[in-house]
Amino acid sequence: MTKQNVVPVEAVAAIAVAAVAGSSPLFPYPPPRAYGRRKYLSQLELGGGRIGAWVESMKASSPTHAKATAAPPSGDAAVDEQSAWVVRHPSALNKFEQIMSASKGKQIVMFMDYDGTLSPIVDDPDSAFMSDAMREAVRDVARYFPTAIVSGRCLDKVINFVRLADLYYAGSHGMDIKGPTRPRHAKARAKPVLFQPASEFLPMIDAVYKALFERTKSTPGARVENNKFCVSVHFRCVDEKSWSSLFEQVRSVLKAYPKLRLTQGRKVLEIRPTIKWDKGKALEFLLESLGFADCKNIMPVYIGDDRTDEDAFKVLRDRGQGFGILVSKFPKETNATYSLQEPSEASAHGPLLGALSYLQCDITRVKDFLVRLVEWKRLSRKACSKVQVA
């Protein structure tokens, strides 16, 4: 498929910059804070020779790592760290009334990641199904607010998982964007949405996928997934002792492709084009496509759990408009304003079951937030109707 840009990437960026000029934050944004070894390597380090540091980074980006799944550490220091983090990133459910108060008179626009946000993280990427209750919650949200799913999965896969027609979808970390045929919420000046800024990389991505598929066969548990505009190498089922060799296999293939870059997520290595495009750019593009780029009376909300979602959180922070919600069970560096978590439930189940309850509980909190948002909107409409009748 040829490029089908609604507007050039450079134009989208320029529009976003113009939109934030003179704006002031709706929420206090404290500077992000690093937590010990829970930090990620930069792209330069990923391409370098620090294998040991890379493996440590793989652990840091994998909150369900064996050492991390044990009950939260005891002691005053651990409690203080957790408490301080929650103060900086309070629960979006606990602060719901404050959030809705700040949204008064503004158009809420919803953005959500898929894996780990709308569906649980599972060993088999093809089995990451969302529950019927979650699908109903997302469907209801889309009835009242412009709603987009922004995922690292390829566009077709995430659409097949969600199976809702009225949504905007951004696959491959925003490099493959498609809108509904008949948008419900877009403004009159909105443009048709079909956007693939990295289409020229398709043959290269396909070649890398085939090479990695063959190269990683010797690593038990490794799984290579072709997400059209990026390649994902899952190591969730790989023995930790083999992580170094798996990284070497990936890096050896990428040496022949300088136009591709290596990034990381939750127990996954991802190979993407070097273009300046990510989930944050996708968010800006979708706001422009919806006709909201120059609007001051909008409140974009982005919910995500992955390192790649930080690009979108940062865009909202820099715009001073809207906010990010991090789905996480552990304190970690983030540009999000709020969080959705339930740390108190893990210790009651032991290390393994505690970790599983953490994952499911995070997902449940996302659903609870969406259900509450819809109920708030319905009540607001009823109140307005009564005022008009009176």
Side-chain angles (χ1 to χ4, degrees), residues 115-269:
D115 293 277
T117 300
L118 300 180
S119 74
I121 297 292
V122 295
D123 290 343
D124 180 5
D126 292 334
S127 299
F129 303 111
M130 67 191 303
S131 67
D132 291 339
M134 180 66 84
R135 181 173 292 104
E136 185 63 28
V138 174
R139 179 187 288 112
D140 288 343
V141 167
R143 286 173 182 161
Y144 294 103
F145 312 101
T147 302
I149 308 298
V150 187
S151 173
R153 301 288 194 123
C154 74
L155 185 64
D156 291 341
K157 285 183 182 179
V158 73
I159 290 177
N160 287 336
F161 273 133
V162 179
R163 303 200 311 271
L164 294 174
D166 293 334
L167 275 61
Y168 292 80
Y169 291 93
S172 301
H173 298 288
M175 288 181 284
D176 198 1
I177 301 177
K178 183 178 182 180
T181 304
R182 296 179 179 178
R184 179 180 301 187
H185 303 285
K187 287 194 171 186
R189 64 175 180 273
K191 305 171 184 178
V193 179
L194 185 59
F195 186 56
Q196 296 178 332
S199 56
E200 64 188 271
F201 289 88
L202 283 174
M204 189 181 301
I205 290 291
D206 189 55
V208 168
Y209 165 73
K210 293 175 180 177
L212 285 173
F213 183 83
E214 293 298 324
R215 187 66 59 89
T216 60
K217 280 183 176 179
S218 61
T219 302
R223 177 160 184 171
V224 183
E225 183 181 15
N226 188 340
N227 283 311
K228 191 170 182 177
F229 290 97
C230 62
V231 178
S232 301
V233 181
H234 300 273
F235 59 91
R236 179 167 299 278
C237 297
V238 176
D239 190 294
E240 185 180 322
K241 296 178 181 178
S242 300
W243 287 5
S244 295
S245 60
L246 177 63
F247 171 65
E248 284 286 17
Q249 291 169 345
V250 173
R251 191 171 65 164
S252 66
V253 170
L254 290 185
K255 285 180 179 179
Y257 298 93
K259 291 186 178 181
L260 300 179
R261 61 191 177 105
L262 182 63
T263 61
Q264 62 185 111
R266 292 178 64 173
K267 287 202 172 180
V268 62
L269 308 178

